[in-house]
Amino acid sequence: MKKTDKIFIAGPKGLVGSALVRHLEKKGFTNLLIPSHSELELLDTQSVAAYFEKNKPDYVFLAAAKVGGILANSTYPADFIYQNLMIQNNIIHQSFVHNIKKLLFLGSSCIYPKHCPQPMKEEYLMTGPLEPTNSPYAVAKIAGIEMCWSYNRQYGTKFIPVMPTNLYGPNDNFDLETSHVLPALIRKFHEARQNNAESVTVWGTGHPKREFLHVDDLADACLFIMQKKFSDQEYKNKPLFNIGSGRDISVKELAELIKEITRFKGKIVFDTSIPDGTPQKLLDISKLKTLNWHPATKLKDGIKSTAEAFKKHTPL
Ligand code: GFB
């Protein structure tokens, strides 16, 4: 990749896309295509086709997606399947039509079966039923993976699907209805401390285990894979890379850690009327480690900086 190559980041305002923009700029890439919503409507095939025709990107990071936590996934299943299929169909197909050099498609660890052996290896894809709370999202992402593989096989494209674990960091969604657990708990504990509340309510039993990766580490891994040279055969051979931190913790342990970081002194209460979702989600990242990529951010440090950034932007 040359520093002047045109790099299209689809979804540049989101948690992942904004981290990619920061990382690429830091590494000296000068020709980033980061269209605003008024310039490009990803759900509209004509708009995406016209954008590719006009801008002719060399590389594409497909980080645009309809995302959300367990409640958002359960409440808006149609939006999750429709929007994700449309966005990825439009971008992957136009990337083929316009002969781009390489594309990275970002999926999610929820593509693996609900009761998958842990840690989850790439080859466990499609070996069992999905978790019902997010299967519309997971099915869309699995379709995206299959699409990358199919275009590579039929047309010789260089499309690589990568599957990040649960992510967190700056520009995350802190809305309590739609966010993921980590930003939700930062907000809940921070507000509880400010309001001298007696307790913080955590959804579910606290038993599910999740793996968390700082989004800056994800951006680093994505650029690493984008720059890596693979043989034509490797592209045809259904490439797939898990990207994670290699460690998981329970929701209860996460709540205790955030309680300590935010210096909240009250109690933690579990609301077991809310579903737990998948019991455990830990990715096997040995494939990426073999290529010599390793995550850098410790969970406690990452939560501290994310909580600081949240406090700065949300003074109470
Ligand atoms: O992060 P989260 O919403 O999504 O929830 P998933 C993880 C766990 O944390 C669940 C619990 O067991 C939640 O019940 N939890 C506890 C909370 N308190 C809270 C809270 O205040 N807010 C939230 N949101 N959860 C999503 C999928 O699954 O993860 C997506 O729905 C995607 O498709 C994404 O894969 C990475 O980890 O369960």
Side-chain angles (χ1 to χ4, degrees), residues 66-77:
K66 166 84 178 162
V67 297
I70 191 164
L71 184 63
N73 270 268
S74 312
T75 316
Y76 309 107

Side-chain angles (χ1 to χ4, degrees), residues 244-260:
S245 61
R247 285 165 181 229
D248 61 354
I249 64 168
S250 71
V251 170
K252 181 169 185 275
E253 288 165 327
L254 177 73
E256 281 161 358
L257 183 58
I258 297 179
K259 178 180 165 176
E260 182 199 319

Side-chain angles (χ1 to χ4, degrees), residues 234-284:
E234 283 172 303
Y235 283 107
K236 290 201 163 50
N237 229 356
K238 304 192 170 186
L240 184 63
F241 290 97
N242 286 339
I243 309 177
S245 61
R247 285 165 181 229
D248 61 354
I249 64 168
S250 71
V251 170
K252 181 169 185 275
E253 288 165 327
L254 177 73
E256 281 161 358
L257 183 58
I258 297 179
K259 178 180 165 176
E260 182 199 319
I261 289 169
T262 54
R263 287 177 279 130
F264 173 65
K265 300 289 176 233
K267 284 187 297 202
I268 298 175
V269 176
F270 292 95
D271 179 353
T272 52
S273 69
I274 301 184
D276 275 344
T278 311
Q280 188 182 12
K281 267 198 283 188
L282 175 65
L283 292 176
D284 184 315

Side-chain angles (χ1 to χ4, degrees), residues 119-135:
M120 303 184 286
K121 290 182 188 298
E122 287 85 350
E123 62 256 35
Y124 297 160
L125 180 67
M126 306 274 279
T127 53
L130 297 165
E131 154 61 31
T133 54
N134 59 31
S135 65

Side-chain angles (χ1 to χ4, degrees), residues 224-241:
F224 175 82
I225 297 170
M226 192 64 119
Q227 289 182 305
K228 183 103 200 136
K229 287 215 172 6
F230 299 102
S231 67
D232 289 350
Q233 200 46 46
E234 283 172 303
Y235 283 107
K236 290 201 163 50
N237 229 356
K238 304 192 170 186
L240 184 63
F241 290 97

Side-chain angles (χ1 to χ4, degrees), residues 6-38:
K6 281 191 186 176
I7 307 173
F8 171 31
I9 297 105
K13 291 270 187 292
L15 172 67
V16 173
S18 62
L20 281 167
V21 172
R22 279 198 307 277
H23 193 64
L24 289 163
E25 282 176 344
K26 200 170 101 192
K27 294 286 175 186
F29 291 92
T30 53
N31 214 343
L32 305 187
L33 300 174
I34 41 178
S36 63
H37 199 177
S38 59

